[in-house]
Amino acid sequence: MTTMTEASVREFKMPDVGEGLTEAEILKWYVQVGDTVTDGQVVCEVETAKAAVELPIPYDGVVRELRFAEGTTVDVGTAIIAVDVSGGAAPEPAPAAPAVPAPAPAEDAEPQGRTPVLVGYGVAASSTKRRPRKGPEVAVAAAPAELNGHGPAAPAPAPVKERPLAKPPVRKLAKDLGVDLARVVPSGPDGIITREDVHAAVAPAETVVEAPVPAPAAVPAPAPAVAGYDSARETRVPVKGVRKATAQAMIGSAFTAPHVTEFVTVDVTRTMKLVEELKQDKEFQGLRVNPLLLIAKALLVAIKRNPEVNASWDEAAQEIVLKHYVNLGIAAATPRGLIVPNIKDAQDKTLPQLSAALGELVSTAREGKTSPAAMQGGTVTITNVGVFGVDTGTPILNPGESAILAVGAIKLQPWVHKGKVKPRQVTTLALSFDHRLVDGELGSKVLADVAAILEQPKRLISWA
């Protein structure tokens, strides 16, 4: 996604890296002004609401300008880097403040389409050092104090023209109210203009109409951004990236799909014995074998026996879409938050193939390298809350899916076995399903089948 400015300078814009995302945060620049770049070279790493992604430059040249500092959230379609493709000498970096000048507002820039060469990638939280967002400090210092109605004017040098930092909804509000953001004093963290700043900038103008003679200025008293916020004992974390996407997805799912959750407690002693036997099998040499593998296979067999559960609801067309494939999602906790990558066409995989796919999915998620494509198209999901030592939960559906199975901790408990109370390995399963698609009978059959397989794992053969 590029545009031409001068004859020899090309601008690379922030692309939409998947699922119609509207913004991304620049995590790290891999190049500096004056560096030579080649076609396909990765120039920066950005974080979207889904994953961290490396952006390659699509041409050769010399970096002339980096439009945004690390830690800045940039709208899709906004130019982030300028490259001189004429092959001339590298320009001398200007000894300017860290806050680099920004391009025209993102509202005026149209996305040019997706870049097909993007590669999903990420790093652990501890290995990526983010710098705080750089605000236009010079412009803020030079702006008159009375712009937001906070005090009398004070002589100051001419402001440096830089793009004010503000979220898209705040920019729209300013545009609707006719407020120039360059003349607004920001009160948000890191120099961000808030909605209150825009309204405060409008208030003085309205007051002038009613009372031409200004009253004596009051002593400025900075108001807290949020009432009752104790900065000494509380920390506020911006909602963005994976956490923002998760919140939006869960709200959408919880208030769209009518959830029903059913529970069953089951003796999985035989399944645990089978896990130990498979660890010694040559077919599984080098593969990770654990209870989750057999639970996943049990769910796939249950879906095969009850295919109507594998569906989605098309509200626009008023249709139920029956899926003849299973993209099995596995909820994974990562340093960036909860993500749900899925195994494509899991129903066709043998047990060793499923084991390999699970191992790759989990390791990729932990390393932060899960691509946006790996998190699209899921049909059903498993969430293993048992790894945290809890018995079970009432999971919320992943948007667009029909069911999610929660697996509790496997514990040694007293259990009646063959007429006698014996210590057995027991767990509790919880199945949440979309009641528009799945009625109580169907949901109960699926959960009962999963439990029956885990109690007698030989059913993996007889029912497959």
Side-chain angles (χ1 to χ4, degrees), residues 311-383:
S312 64
W313 183 275
D314 188 336
E315 181 66 28
Q318 285 295 291
E319 294 176 338
I320 293 175
V321 183
L322 298 176
K323 308 293 180 66
H324 305 299
Y325 58 92
V326 181
N327 290 346
L328 182 61
I330 304 294
T334 74
R336 289 190 175 92
L338 178 69
I339 64 173
V340 188
N342 60 75
I343 300 172
K344 310 297 184 186
D345 296 315
Q347 79 285 349
D348 294 332
K349 298 188 182 297
T350 64
L351 202 58
Q353 290 172 341
L354 188 61
S355 175
L358 278 170
E360 181 180 359
L361 179 148
V362 172
S363 62
T364 301
R366 287 177 176 172
E367 294 171 4
K369 297 181 180 180
T370 302
S371 66
M375 293 181 280
Q376 298 176 16
T379 60
V380 295
T381 291
I382 295 176
T383 176

Side-chain angles (χ1 to χ4, degrees), residues 7-64:
S8 63
V9 177
R10 304 184 72 176
E11 292 180 332
F12 179 67
K13 294 184 176 182
M14 178 69 73
D16 176 0
V17 296
E19 295 194 56
L21 300 173
T22 60
E23 63 182 17
E25 178 185 351
I26 298 176
L27 293 181
K28 184 178 181 61
W29 282 108
Y30 294 121
V31 296
Q32 298 178 352
V33 174
D35 287 355
T36 300
V37 295
T38 57
D39 186 1
Q41 178 180 339
V42 173
V43 294
C44 69
E45 180 186 15
V46 301
E47 183 181 39
T48 70
K50 293 292 184 182
V53 178
E54 289 186 331
L55 300 184
I57 201 79
Y59 34 75
D60 302 335
V62 177
V63 178
R64 171 172 288 191

